[in-house]
Amino acid sequence: QVRLVESGGGWVQAGGSLRLSCKASGSIFSINVMGWYRQAPGKQRELVAGITSGGSPNYADSVKGRLTISGVNAANTVYLQMNSLKSEDTAVYYCNADKGVTPSGVVFNYWGQGTQVTVST
């Protein structure tokens, strides 16, 4: 069993910053990709940013230049630094661990419980 715990969400005015954190724990040998997704009311869940175990990031076009993903591979932890936030960034943000492997060789994909980010104008 693998558990992802997110923290750092909250309320901020437009133009402000927030930092999200996510730590994976449990039966983990390795995780190849960790990422952040978000889901706004009435919309589908979308990828915000992801990072590989080798440190290669990728971003949705809508957040490039404003959000930065980073990770501590050995600690199975990923962060999302969010600057210059806009009202359209308001959503529930979910952490994801993809292409993970347990010590027994089982491949997994797990989600966190989500953390609310609200940006007011």
Side-chain angles (χ1 to χ4, degrees), residues 91-114:
V92 178
Y93 284 70
Y94 296 90
C95 179
N96 176 257
D98 191 26
K99 299 180 178 63
V101 183
T102 67
S104 59
V106 176
V107 178
F108 64 79
N109 179 298
Y110 276 98
W111 293 89
Q113 79 285 356

Side-chain angles (χ1 to χ4, degrees), residues 21-97:
S21 301
C22 172
K23 180 171 178 58
S25 62
S27 185
I28 300 170
F29 176 75
S30 65
I31 301 175
N32 286 315
V33 182
M34 293 192 76
W36 291 95
Y37 290 71
R38 67 187 181 189
Q39 187 166 18
K43 295 188 177 181
Q44 289 189 331
R45 190 174 297 188
E46 62 176 0
L47 174 67
V48 175
I51 188 166
T52 67
S53 57
S56 297
N58 69 286
Y59 299 94
D61 288 342
S62 61
V63 306
K64 285 180 180 177
R66 300 187 299 116
L67 277 57
T68 303
I69 190 169
S70 61
V72 180
N73 194 31
N76 295 320
T77 300
V78 65
Y79 304 97
L80 186 67
Q81 179 66 42
M82 303 189 292
N83 299 328
S84 302
L85 283 164
K86 305 175 181 179
S87 58
E88 50 262 45
D89 295 316
T90 295
V92 178
Y93 284 70
Y94 296 90
C95 179
N96 176 257

Side-chain angles (χ1 to χ4, degrees), residues 6-11 17-22 36 80 82 115-117:
E6 301 127 331
S7 61
W11 177 90
S17 299
L18 284 173
R19 188 179 191 233
L20 305 183
S21 301
C22 172
W36 291 95
L80 186 67
M82 303 189 292
T115 185
Q116 177 69 46
V117 171

